Amino acid sequence: MSQPLLQVNDLKKHFPIKAGFLGGTTGYVYAVDGVSFDIAKGETLSLVGESGCGKSTVGKALLRLFPLTAGQVVLGGDRIDDMPNGTLRPLRRKMQVVFQDPFSSLNPRMRVRDILAEPIRNFGLAKDAADLEKRLEGLMDKVRLPRDAINRWPHEFSGGQRQRIGIARALAGEPDLIICDEAVSALDVSVKAQIVNLLQDLQTELGLAMLFISHDLAIVEHMTHRVAVMYLGKIVEVAPKRSLFGAPKHPYTEALLSAVPVPMPGAARERIILKGDVPSPINPPKGCRFHTRCPYAFDRCRTEEPQLRPVADALEGGHIAACHLHDRPAGENPLSGAKGAQLLAVGSA
Amino acid sequence: MALLEVENLQTHFRTPDGINRAVDGVNFHVNAGETVAIVGESGCGKSVTAMSILRLIPEPPGKIAGAIRFNGKNLLDASDKEMRAIRGNEISMIFQEPMTSLNPVLTVGRQIGETLRLHQGLSAQAAEDRAVEMLKLVGIPEPQRRVKEYPHQLSGGMRQRVMIAIALACNPKLLIADEPTTALDVTIQAQILELMRDLKHRVGAAIVLITHDLGVVAEVAERVIVMYAGRKVEEAAVGPLFRNPRHPYTQGLLGSMPKLGSSLTGEETRLAEIPGLVPSLKKKIPGCVFASRCPKVTDLCTQYAPALEEKAPGHVAACHYALREEVVAA
Ligand SMILES: Nc1ncnc2c1ncn2[C@@H]1O[C@H](COP(=O)(O)OP(=O)(O)OP(=O)(O)O)[C@@H](O)[C@H]1O
Ligand SMILES: Nc1ncnc2c1ncn2[C@@H]1O[C@H](COP(=O)(O)OP(=O)(O)OP(=O)(O)O)[C@@H](O)[C@H]1O
Ligand code: SF4
Ligand code: SF4
Ligand SMILES: [Mg+2]
Ligand SMILES: [Mg+2]
């Protein structure tokens, strides 16, 4: 296989906790604590996991929105984690982002036209004024906004329309990689379908790679190639999608899949309810970080941290998980076999 | 009498190139203790409807007409002072975009506490204690530490839960929740929906739930209003709406829903879209608002607007060709 477009190796981001305004550092939030993954050209990797587990922090770290605590990031063959800030410009074009909260990322004093023209001008992509105009119209068409809306201000749009402006801006720079952080969550299903189809088309057309951060597992399943599941700053499972949904190999993934609401009144899945509070990222549990809430935890989990390793009975290759259960014989491993279909089965409430 | 009655609501915006009829003659009611969901395509006027109820539309360029009766009182006649006393207290709202509705320079504790001090006259200490309690309720770990943090230090889902905490702090009689769970993972989402149910049981609150997540609608709503291009095009109890949608737009909406497990059953097709664009709200539309995108459109539709009529008991739809119960039964 050729070299992946993006390689992330043991990425860490720890936020210092200050005592008061001028006080010293009293500890760290271990928001991202050693994650590794890669994304090939034209591939979508989804990042899923509990709120606060560090997904957006991974995205922001890749974009160099703040300095990394540790780790290497290689994009298109170049180390970008240690690039000085002044040389980040080409990187900014190659990697674009669509954030969760579109309004706060759109400049309220710029018309849509200028918001979209800015990256095109900055990176010198338009040949002339007519080309710029053509590109702007093309972008509006792509995200299904009426062309005449281009002279309006961000506050004149609905939430979902603003999200589409954010997507159009990300596409304007013709990136190699787009980081979508809950980019389609605020859209209605039919516009969501349009945008998802659009992103997939661009992927085939331009070989666009995507890091897709989302809580919407049905959409993730639909559009991703592989899924990485995060829990409390670490990746606990990575797999091609059919393998992940068909045969999840981490207890947290199992619980996650079982909790997705069913869009039919009166129908429901058998939910695996996780007990206990979400542990603190300042003081993560020793051993397996999930042991305080895992329904299968045993002694070893409390002392020894499980490593990400290939699992034996996955549906597809490239399926890795971090759980001690896989050291047990199949008969004593509640995660053995392909339980996905059974987990996702819908019964009446 | 219903807790909330919205009568012929019209919220229009003046723009340089014409009047934007964002909400154009919407009627609905919400009973105490009831959860009503509003669904519909992006830009169809859901948030504007919600903001109109709370009179949070900037006037000008906005203009609200019609009547919004809360406990019998028309809020459109209320003074600014009266509205301030109602907002955040009797009626509260969870806004769609948490980062823009939170104050970046105040700690989350201050922001939750502010509401309590304003409406319930709590002391600073009592307000802070209650803020910690509220953060715990919405499932934010380590509430003691978090209460002292600023919005940018929280994850997206935590910010959304802070908004929810603020909205629930005063036990409102009417909670308007605009996309309250989009940034939340499914487990936390379940917890928040439970909190809303609890508010209903404890204080008999009514909830207007605006969401694109039809799974959430199926789970918590009793009645559903479907909006399109500033109008209500269908309304029914949740069961009949999902099982037997009458309006082609609703049918399209339910049809474009991705289903979990698609990679296992091999039904991995392209997601169905409703092709085309929502019509401009600046021009008067003579016929049916959905005509430009409807697969069943005929000449009749483009000439005459269909009336919103009862197609089955409690089930209304605005479509010339939506079947009536008698016809369906025969
Ligand atoms: N600037 C910051 N300063 C201090 N802590 C931060 C900062 N940004 C994030 N954190 C903390 O890092 C952790 C991970 O946050 P992150 O935003 O990455 O979560 P997430 O997985 O994206 O969650 P969500 O699904 O809710 O968006 C959280 O505990 C958060 O409070
Ligand atoms: N301040 C404003 N000035 C002009 N037009 C506005 C203003 N606010 C909203 N609109 C318009 O009103 C219409 C309805 O917007 P609204 O925010 O209610 O949509 P929505 O149904 O909530 O959509 P979404 O699902 O995307 O949040 C949109 O066409 C929007 O452009
Ligand atoms: S290692 Fe132990 S605690 Fe961790 S997920 Fe596996 S069984 Fe659960
Ligand atoms: S009235 Fe005609 S155009 Fe409108 S929804 Fe019904 S069939 Fe479609
Ligand atoms: Mg996030
Ligand atoms: Mg809205």
Side-chain angles (χ1 to χ4, degrees):
Chain A
M1 210 178 100
S2 64
Q3 199 190 6
L5 175 72
L6 176 77
Q7 283 173 288
V8 178
N9 188 20
D10 206 19
L11 180 73
K12 291 186 183 167
K13 177 64 195 178
H14 302 163
F15 293 102
I17 305 166
K18 306 267 190 226
F21 250 126
L22 302 167
T25 301
T26 58
Y28 290 92
V29 178
Y30 297 98
V32 174
D33 205 17
V35 311
S36 306
F37 59 87
D38 49 42
I39 305 181
K41 190 172 184 302
E43 187 191 34
T44 302
L45 175 73
S46 293
L47 203 51
V48 304
E50 198 153 58
S51 170
C53 71
K55 304 177 298 295
S56 298
T57 305
V58 168
K60 289 178 186 161
L62 297 182
L63 292 159
R64 293 280 309 268
L65 295 182
F66 38 55
L68 310 184
T69 306
Q72 292 94 43
V73 182
V74 180
L75 179 72
D78 303 318
R79 274 282 290 271
I80 58 168
D81 52 276
D82 54 1
M83 259 184 200
N85 274 326
T87 59
L88 286 173
R89 236 176 90 114
L91 168 69
R92 297 261 186 261
R93 187 186 71 78
K94 285 189 198 152
M95 198 152 47
Q96 288 287 331
V97 63
V98 185
F99 283 114
Q100 194 161 347
D101 206 342
F103 200 43
S104 55
S105 64
L106 298 176
N107 184 339
R109 281 176 294 275
M110 278 166 85
R111 288 178 193 270
V112 175
R113 159 182 299 282
D114 299 311
I115 291 173
L116 298 183
E118 191 173 51
I120 301 179
R121 287 206 190 95
N122 278 353
F123 305 122
L125 296 173
K127 290 194 289 286
D128 48 40
D131 186 35
L132 174 67
E133 216 44 47
K134 219 176 88 210
R135 280 168 185 265
L136 292 176
E137 285 180 356
L139 287 169
M140 293 298 277
D141 293 351
K142 278 199 177 110
V143 297
R144 312 287 159 103
L145 285 172
R147 286 182 183 181
D148 60 13
I150 202 161
N151 291 316
R152 287 158 62 185
W153 307 95
H155 75 264
E156 294 179 46
F157 291 86
S158 77
Q161 292 165 335
R162 282 200 279 264
Q163 191 66 290
R164 281 180 272 170
I165 301 171
I167 294 171
R169 179 179 57 183
L171 295 175
E174 299 182 347
D176 300 330
L177 172 73
I178 290 197
I179 300 175
C180 294
D181 192 347
E182 299 289 353
V184 296
S185 320
L187 304 177
D188 63 273
V189 284
S190 109
V191 174
K192 198 182 289 195
Q194 288 176 347
I195 302 278
V196 165
N197 290 340
L198 164 73
L199 289 172
Q200 285 183 314
D201 290 346
L202 290 173
Q203 187 154 56
T204 9
E205 248 168 67
L206 312 169
L208 187 67
M210 266 188 281
L211 178 64
F212 193 78
I213 300 173
S214 179
H215 288 302
D216 185 337
L217 293 173
I219 281 286
V220 163
E221 181 182 23
H222 194 87
M223 72 176 299
T224 203
H225 296 101
R226 287 186 299 140
V227 186
V229 183
M230 267 184 93
Y231 185 79
L232 211 61
K234 297 229 176 203
I235 290 181
V236 296
E237 181 163 11
V238 185
K241 80 166 158 205
R242 205 172 64 82
S243 203
L244 189 107
F245 286 92
K249 295 296 175 190
H250 193 280
Y252 176 66
T253 312
E254 245 191 4
L256 201 62
L257 294 184
S258 78
V260 179
V262 184
M264 184 45 76
R269 296 197 168 84
E270 191 119 356
R271 265 195 193 141
I272 301 172
I273 310 263
L274 292 178
K275 295 198 188 63
D277 286 341
V278 179
S280 160
I282 295 176
N283 207 344
K286 298 274 169 317
C288 173
R289 291 188 173 199
F290 190 49
H291 86 249
T292 53
R293 296 164 78 202
C294 179
Y296 313 119
F298 54 108
D299 281 347
R300 186 179 167 197
C301 310
R302 283 178 264 278
T303 51
E304 191 188 331
E305 183 166 354
Q307 301 302 313
L308 270 173
R309 284 179 309 163
V311 279
D313 60 343
L315 289 182
E316 286 174 284
H319 192 151
I320 54 176
C323 174
H324 293 315
L325 288 173
H326 299 302
D327 288 342
R328 292 184 171 179
E332 292 165 36
N333 179 357
L335 300 172
S336 68
K339 282 167 63 186
Q342 179 193 331
L343 266 175
L344 300 182
V346 171
S348 58
Chain B
M1 182 183 65
L3 180 70
L4 176 76
E5 284 170 318
V6 173
E7 251 178 58
N8 196 22
L9 177 69
Q10 292 186 305
T11 307
H12 295 175
F13 292 95
R14 193 155 9 95
T15 73
D17 46 343
I19 305 279
N20 190 352
R21 299 182 177 81
V23 176
D24 209 13
V26 166
N27 295 286
F28 68 94
H29 72 275
V30 184
N31 296 317
E34 192 185 26
T35 301
V36 175
I38 304 183
V39 303
E41 182 138 313
S42 173
C44 72
K46 303 180 297 294
S47 299
V48 169
T49 301
M51 308 273 245
S52 302
I53 295 172
L54 279 173
R55 294 250 317 267
L56 289 173
I57 299 285
E59 296 177 84
K63 193 170 179 316
I64 314 178
I68 295 166
R69 271 186 270 280
F70 178 67
N71 269 330
K73 182 179 165 54
N74 189 353
L75 297 183
L76 296 185
D77 298 334
S79 69
D80 287 349
K81 185 155 168 269
E82 288 172 301
M83 277 318 292
R84 272 195 301 275
I86 291 174
R87 271 186 224 126
N89 195 21
E90 285 176 85
I91 308 181
S92 67
M93 176 154 176
I94 301 168
F95 293 93
Q96 192 169 5
E97 286 161 284
M99 200 49 187
T100 32
S101 5
L102 289 174
N103 187 333
V105 300
L106 291 184
T107 63
V108 302
R110 271 287 293 283
Q111 302 191 48
I112 302 172
E114 205 83 359
T115 320
L116 290 160
R117 292 173 62 176
L118 182 69
H119 294 299
Q120 313 212 317
L122 294 193
S123 70
Q125 186 56 49
E128 162 133 4
D129 292 347
R130 177 95 174 111
V132 171
E133 210 178 290
M134 290 305 302
L135 288 184
K136 199 170 156 90
L137 267 181
V138 294
I140 293 189
E142 306 168 87
Q144 260 94 1
R145 174 168 74 87
R146 295 295 185 181
V147 83
K148 299 193 180 67
E149 290 196 328
Y150 295 88
H152 78 272
Q153 293 173 298
L154 303 181
S155 80
M158 292 177 197
R159 289 198 284 258
Q160 195 162 31
R161 281 177 279 164
V162 169
M163 288 288 311
I164 295 171
I166 294 174
L168 295 181
C170 295
N171 292 324
K173 287 279 177 310
L174 174 66
L175 173 67
I176 303 174
D178 195 352
E179 299 289 351
T181 60
T182 35
L184 303 180
D185 62 88
V186 286
T187 42
I188 301 284
Q189 179 177 304
Q191 198 175 334
I192 296 296
L193 298 179
E194 195 49 49
L195 266 181
M196 301 203 327
R197 270 187 217 116
D198 173 66
L199 179 75
K200 258 170 59 166
H201 294 144
R202 246 178 336 108
V203 295
I207 299 174
V208 174
L209 176 70
I210 299 173
T211 180
H212 290 305
D213 190 330
L214 297 170
V216 170
V217 173
E219 196 154 308
V220 300
E222 281 129 31
R223 204 147 46 83
V224 186
I225 291 167
V226 184
M227 282 183 71
Y228 186 81
R231 330 266 166 99
K232 175 168 93 178
V233 295
E234 183 160 7
E235 175 176 347
V238 67
L241 190 102
F242 275 78
R243 272 185 276 275
N244 194 2
R246 312 260 167 166
H247 195 281
Y249 172 66
T250 316
Q251 291 162 358
L253 199 64
L254 293 171
S256 37
M257 204 165 43
K259 287 177 200 66
L260 198 62
S262 60
S263 68
L264 308 180
T265 50
E267 35 175 307
E268 258 184 300
T269 44
R270 211 174 153 80
L271 288 178
E273 309 175 5
I274 302 175
L277 277 179
V278 186
S280 164
L281 303 174
K282 288 176 189 150
K283 292 183 211 98
K284 271 265 179 231
I285 302 161
C288 170
V289 283
F290 192 53
S292 60
R293 299 169 76 191
C294 183
K296 299 180 183 160
V297 62
T298 65
D299 284 347
L300 175 71
C301 309
T302 50
Q303 283 165 24
Y304 301 99
L308 199 57
E309 42 177 39
E310 196 157 45
K311 306 286 177 184
H315 194 150
V316 298
C319 169
H320 292 306
Y321 298 102
L323 297 186
R324 280 182 200 255
E325 192 75 314
E326 310 90 75
V327 186
V328 175

